[in-house]
Amino acid sequence: MDLAIVWFCVIALFWAGYLFLEGFDFGVGMLLPVLGRDNTERRVMINTIGPVWDGNEVWVIVAGGAMFAAFPAWYAGLFSSAYLPLLVVLLALIGRGVAFEYRGKVDTERWRRTWDRVIVLGSWLPPLGIGLIISTTVLGLPLDADGNRVGSAFEAVRWDTLLGAVAIVGFSIVHGAAFLALKTDGELRHRARRLAVRILPVALAPLLALVVLVQVREGEAWTVAPVVVVFLAAAVAWWRLAKGREGQAFASLGVAIVGAAVALFGALYPDVLPSTGDPANSLTVSNASSSPYTLQVMTWVAAFGAPAVLVYQGWTYWVFRKRISTHHIPKVHVPR
Amino acid sequence: MEVLELARWQFGITTVYHFLMVPLTIGLSILVAGMQTAWVRTGNERYLKMTKFWGKLLLVNFAMGVVTGIVQEFQFGMNWSAYSRFVGDVFGAPLAMEGLVAFFVESTFLGLWIFGWDRLSKRVHLACVWAFSLATVASAYFILAANSWMQHPVGVEFVDGKPTMNSIWAVLTNNTALAAIPHTIAGTFSVAAAFLVGIAAWRLWRKRKEADEDRKVWRSSLKLGTWVGVVAFGVLAITGDMQGKLMFEQQPMKMAAAEALCHTEKPASFSILAVGDVANADCESVKTFTVPALLSFLAHNDFSTEVKGVEDLVGQYQEQYGTNYPDDPALGELAGKPIDYVPNLPVTYWGFRTMIGFGALSAGIGVLALWLTRRDRIPNTKWFPRMTLLGIALPFIANSAGWIFTEMGRQPFVVVPNPTGVDGVWMFTAQAVSNVTTGEVWTSLISLTLLYAVLGVVEVFLMVKYVRGGIEGVMPPKKPDRDDGGDEGKSDDDALAFAY
């Protein structure tokens, strides 16, 4: 089998893993002011993702690194084309990461409120930008013969890529609410579940619209299947949430986002970054890929590395499997 | 300014800034892992206190290293897309490996370490800090292999106008990398060492007149810092010398630029300091204080070796790599213009000297501090903490100066031609930039710099706060019925040992 195709699939999976994992921790950050009514509740929320958010974030770094190694022209073309959206993502991720670590290090309301704002902003903006970038690579933009963007700095910002941006934001909120319902206890848990049930249809609508749009525009016969999976999984998630089965609902949302990634990247194949101008300039799995030797090396590394990652990240979730509630939160202890 | 200059400034600012956090993270994480090992093995409370205190400062710093690192991963695609396309086949591999092998381990096990004090057994928890700290070293290895490939491309052939990897082994065992890695790792230890010495000395001095139950914590930290600093400096000197000899073979222009050596000399003398304008390539206006024949020895282990000067090398480079840039509109103002093969001499000359001088001074301060505190003494003078606290800055500056030297010293190339390598495998920095607007790069340059500046202030503020807080600030008052870190008598309703 052609290793370039394998790597296209691997990269799609890295993105799916990223959207699944950081999707919920973005959601937790987005909902901080909505669900967290006092500082202790907000600390409960932050601590549900405390041990894992950084590991989740590495998925985007590895997705980017894998694109660089396996499809340099894709990496170069996409990230220079979607320059400003990516910059917003980076700035937001910088603030957000620091905010988690620094928020509890000074014991004043003002300090916490400031970092809470950074967490909220840093959790809304990245899914917006990531959604826009992923839909840009799926829907394409005008390229010249060198694989560079033709047009202005805002070429990647259109109604259809904005739909993609909203799709990932909407998914992240619901996913985060379901995660909080699964990982917290008491009042917060019920509030999170009720919110998830209430907003799910609206919040997932853009994602459903996106997969349908992409299916209509560039889909293959087989990609109808993952599109159907997304709809079914969304429906199941809603139903299980309404029944109070948080774990099943969370898993269904996971199926929905992985299904969406399969649908989007499946429709994209064999392109990696289609040119909406001259189709001859499209970057494809074959013209953007690295040499067979490089792909072979990377395949070996991924064949051992990726399963190991799943094992030890899975272990982390096991170690921190207990629900957290307000009485678990220790008193603030910082230097005077 | 054009995209080229802006992108270079951005790369310089973001990378130097990132590399303020990284060395402290690498060096300190290993030392903290060592402290925790000592605690687990001896059960001595002093080592637990050391682990908690230095570990907290490590975390304050680590967060900044992580977030500034994300920029590095995407910056190549954003600002340097022509470079990324040209070298991606070989350069992308170590970057992806760094993510897959190192970053995942680093981030996951750090989370386990921070939050796992009461959830993991002592030994498993200790294994987590080791996994985390060794992963930081692994990440340094991969990124230095990538950087060394730009200094000395190996393991490739030239196919369809692009370097194509034919040996990952050659890339990962590049002799340039094998010299750069111990040098850089030793540099990280000298940062961590000065950090320990500076802060521990200040803590000792502050409570010099009162009973301080934690005095032993600071004495041990000071001693550890000094010895680590001395050993690190030894490794830096040896590996630096190895790098110099490789540079003489692989990047003769960088060697000449390090010395601002205008004319070929045989034997060549090593310049210690210069008075006058070293940028002036005719050397007439410069008076330097030199050690005869030392440069020859540094270059080739022989006091009579000829070392080529900038003037001769320019001719040689022009012959091999052309006199003018291609007449390509993508090169902007530089299209068709003559190529300037001489790096920025004041930067390379003074960068090289700053690196060596500040590195040595930092190790010296450590030794002096240890001597001044010998046999339970604590100097009464204000100069003692001032000196050691200022000493913290020295290895940071030395590291930055070394990197600025090595990166500016390879200009105008982004991928330096390998004199014994495959023809065609080199690239001018001017050819490497993205086809983006200056507005985009201005936006990112300004926004990143401002954000970094603000966060830098916050980091230093928190560091100072925790240093002032001492041991009490990092260890919550113990519950009477439970020993710290133990699992006995724990119920599900207990508060977490650590929470954000």
Side-chain angles (χ1 to χ4, degrees):
Chain A
M1 197 173 158
D2 188 353
L3 284 179
I5 300 171
V6 172
W7 272 91
F8 180 76
C9 299
V10 170
I11 288 164
L13 283 179
F14 280 139
W15 280 110
Y18 178 65
L19 295 176
F20 175 83
L21 291 169
E22 193 137 84
F24 69 73
D25 70 46
F26 284 144
V28 171
M30 292 154 98
L31 292 171
L32 199 61
V34 181
L35 290 177
R37 295 203 174 151
D38 56 32
N39 181 43
T40 313
E41 284 191 354
R42 284 193 285 274
R43 286 182 70 197
V44 169
M45 293 173 71
I46 293 169
N47 279 289
T48 60
I49 56 171
V52 295
W53 71 267
D54 192 12
N56 294 346
E57 197 160 288
V58 173
W59 284 76
V60 76
I61 297 177
V62 172
M67 284 167 71
F68 198 172
F71 299 97
W74 184 14
Y75 169 85
L78 180 61
F79 295 145
S80 61
S81 299
Y83 194 105
L84 293 178
L86 181 54
L87 176 67
V88 171
V89 172
L90 295 176
L91 293 168
L93 289 180
I94 291 171
R96 178 177 189 266
V98 172
F100 285 136
E101 191 59 44
Y102 287 2
R103 180 188 186 276
K105 294 216 160 21
V106 174
D107 191 16
T108 67
E109 262 317 298
R110 187 162 157 243
W111 177 268
R112 280 191 287 267
R113 260 207 315 278
T114 307
W115 289 112
D116 281 350
R117 286 197 191 108
V118 177
I119 291 175
V120 173
L121 202 63
S123 301
W124 278 89
L125 293 175
L128 206 63
I130 297 278
L132 191 136
I133 291 166
I134 290 179
S135 43
T136 300
T137 203
V138 172
L139 297 163
L141 78 176
L143 295 175
D144 68 14
D146 295 328
N148 287 320
R149 175 191 72 204
V150 178
S152 81
F154 298 97
E155 204 56 43
V157 184
R158 307 182 304 246
W159 76 266
D160 50 357
T161 56
L162 285 173
L163 174 66
V166 178
I168 300 304
V169 168
F171 167 77
S172 299
I173 301 184
V174 176
H175 203 34
F179 180 79
L180 285 169
L182 180 64
K183 293 293 293 179
T184 61
D185 222 340
E187 175 62 16
L188 187 58
R189 171 185 180 181
H190 298 295
R191 218 182 293 144
R193 188 180 63 85
R194 280 200 303 274
L195 180 82
V197 175
R198 211 164 52 222
I199 62 171
L200 187 139
V202 180
L204 288 191
L207 182 68
L208 300 177
L210 178 72
V211 290
V212 170
L213 174 78
V214 169
Q215 178 63 25
V216 170
R217 280 209 200 156
E218 353 175 328
E220 316 275 332
W222 72 268
T223 51
V224 175
V227 171
V228 173
V229 167
V230 178
F231 275 84
L232 287 178
V236 170
W238 199 19
W239 170 49
R240 296 322 289 169
L241 269 173
K243 293 278 174 208
R245 302 304 299 264
E246 292 123 350
Q248 293 175 8
F250 179 72
S252 304
L253 286 167
V255 172
I257 196 65
V258 173
V262 172
L264 297 176
F265 283 88
L268 171 60
Y269 181 85
D271 286 337
V272 292
L273 180 58
S275 167
T276 52
D278 184 350
N281 294 339
S282 290
L283 300 178
T284 67
V285 165
S286 48
N287 74 17
S289 75
S290 284
S291 65
Y293 174 80
T294 299
L295 294 176
Q296 214 178 330
V297 168
M298 292 312 301
T299 305
W300 279 108
V301 175
F304 288 97
V309 171
L310 293 177
V311 170
Y312 60 71
Q313 284 206 338
W315 180 59
T316 309
Y317 283 91
W318 173 252
V319 169
F320 300 106
R321 66 192 174 281
K322 287 211 184 91
R323 288 178 184 270
I324 302 178
S325 50
T326 43
H327 68 264
H328 288 121
I329 298 300
K331 268 202 288 237
V332 179
H333 179 82
V334 296
R336 274 167 289 127
Chain B
M1 284 218 266
E2 289 208 42
V3 170
L4 174 63
E5 281 102 66
L6 295 170
R8 282 187 67 192
W9 272 108
Q10 182 179 320
F11 200 89
I13 290 171
T14 54
T15 311
V16 167
Y17 190 84
H18 178 57
F19 206 72
L20 294 176
M21 321 304 163
V22 170
L24 185 58
T25 293
I26 297 177
L28 198 54
S29 69
I30 294 194
L31 295 182
V32 167
M35 293 166 191
Q36 193 171 337
T37 309
W39 173 61
V40 170
R41 295 190 65 159
T42 65
N44 188 333
E45 178 89 359
R46 189 198 324 168
Y47 298 124
L48 177 64
K49 288 178 173 177
M50 285 170 75
T51 309
K52 291 271 188 177
F53 179 79
W54 298 110
K56 185 65 84 180
L57 297 182
L58 169 68
L59 293 180
V60 170
N61 177 66
F62 181 78
M64 290 285 289
V66 169
V67 296
T68 53
I70 311 173
V71 175
Q72 300 304 96
E73 188 82 19
F74 290 97
Q75 185 162 211
F76 294 108
M78 295 167 80
N79 282 344
W80 304 98
S81 60
Y83 167 80
S84 303
R85 283 189 198 104
F86 183 68
V87 303
D89 196 88
V90 44
F91 186 84
L95 246 64
M97 288 179 191
E98 185 187 22
L100 257 170
V101 179
F103 289 159
F104 269 130
V105 176
E106 222 174 298
S107 56
T108 308
F109 286 92
L110 181 71
L112 282 159
W113 185 63
I114 302 178
F115 288 86
W117 283 93
D118 61 342
R119 316 255 179 130
L120 300 167
S121 75
K122 268 188 193 175
R123 282 177 187 279
V124 174
H125 188 245
L126 178 65
C128 289
V129 71
W130 276 109
F132 154 68
S133 55
L134 292 177
T136 66
V137 177
S139 89
Y141 169 73
F142 287 115
I143 198 63
L144 288 170
N147 177 273
S148 297
W149 188 85
M150 300 164 81
Q151 316 277 352
H152 183 234
V154 292
V156 286
E157 53 199 343
F158 201 60
V159 181
D160 296 334
K162 277 181 192 160
T164 304
M165 185 157 69
N166 62 13
S167 168
I168 183 71
W169 181 248
V171 173
L172 295 179
T173 59
N174 188 346
N175 57 9
T176 315
L178 295 183
I181 289 156
H183 193 69
T184 310
I185 298 296
T188 70
F189 276 107
S190 75
V191 165
F195 192 72
L196 257 63
V197 169
I199 292 169
W202 180 77
R203 295 264 0 159
L204 276 180
W205 176 82
R206 203 175 77 126
K207 291 208 173 174
R208 66 194 177 283
K209 287 176 186 160
E210 50 195 287
D212 178 8
E213 58 166 325
D214 295 325
R215 191 165 284 156
K216 278 187 171 164
V217 170
W218 310 120
R219 286 208 186 275
S220 296
S221 302
L222 176 66
K223 204 180 280 180
L224 177 67
T226 304
W227 288 114
V228 168
V230 168
V231 173
F233 183 70
V235 176
L236 281 167
I238 295 165
T239 52
D241 181 53
M242 285 160 59
Q243 284 187 299
K245 289 176 172 54
L246 289 174
M247 190 165 71
F248 174 65
E249 287 167 26
Q250 297 170 350
Q251 302 182 61
M253 182 62 93
K254 193 193 279 183
M255 184 77 174
E259 290 305 308
L261 182 72
C262 308
H263 314 293
T264 300
E265 286 182 17
K266 185 186 175 181
S269 49
F270 178 83
S271 159
I272 290 178
L273 287 174
V275 182
D277 183 11
V278 287
N280 196 341
D282 64 10
C283 295
E284 301 309 326
S285 57
V286 183
K287 287 203 188 329
T288 65
F289 177 57
T290 61
V291 181
L294 182 60
L295 184 60
S296 293
F297 182 79
L298 291 178
H300 208 62
N301 268 350
D302 173 358
F303 287 104
S304 62
T305 309
E306 176 184 273
V307 179
K308 284 244 164 70
V310 169
E311 282 179 346
D312 287 329
L313 286 168
V314 166
Q316 192 182 313
Y317 276 62
Q318 281 174 339
E319 209 170 289
Q320 277 177 292
Y321 311 112
T323 54
N324 292 66
Y325 284 111
D327 210 1
D328 180 350
L331 290 176
E333 282 176 359
L334 286 174
K337 293 274 163 58
I339 303 167
D340 183 4
Y341 283 105
V342 186
N344 186 326
L345 293 179
V347 170
T348 53
Y349 180 88
W350 289 112
F352 197 61
R353 270 141 204 85
T354 306
M355 171 183 76
I356 297 172
F358 281 39
L361 196 56
S362 153
I365 287 180
V367 173
L368 184 59
L370 187 63
W371 185 75
L372 289 172
T373 55
R374 72 194 180 281
R375 273 184 245 122
D376 292 342
R377 268 171 239 222
I378 302 174
N380 204 11
T381 157
K382 258 189 220 162
W383 285 102
F384 175 63
R386 278 186 193 166
M387 168 189 80
T388 59
L389 287 174
L390 269 177
I392 296 177
L394 300 180
F396 282 103
I397 297 170
N399 270 320
S400 302
W403 275 108
I404 290 168
F405 157 69
T406 204
E407 299 303 289
M408 300 270 292
R410 69 173 144 85
Q411 302 302 329
F413 294 103
V414 62
V415 178
V416 182
N418 177 349
T420 59
V422 185
D423 196 31
V425 183
W426 41 273
M427 188 183 215
F428 292 114
T429 309
Q431 298 171 305
V433 288
S434 291
N435 184 21
V436 291
T437 59
T438 48
E440 283 165 286
V441 195
W442 267 120
T443 309
S444 80
L445 174 60
I446 292 172
S447 57
L448 284 168
T449 307
L450 286 179
L451 182 60
Y452 280 13
V454 171
L455 292 179
V457 172
V458 177
E459 180 183 351
V460 172
F461 164 74
L462 283 178
M463 287 268 189
V464 170
K465 182 176 158 75
Y466 273 92
V467 168
R468 283 181 187 280
I471 301 297
E472 284 160 36
V474 295
M475 291 180 80
K478 249 196 282 183
K479 286 186 195 160
D481 57 338
R482 251 183 67 194
D483 107 14
D484 225 298
D487 288 346
E488 296 83 15
K490 205 178 70 167
S491 98
D492 282 355
D493 286 340
D494 276 356
L496 304 169
F498 175 82
Y500 275 145

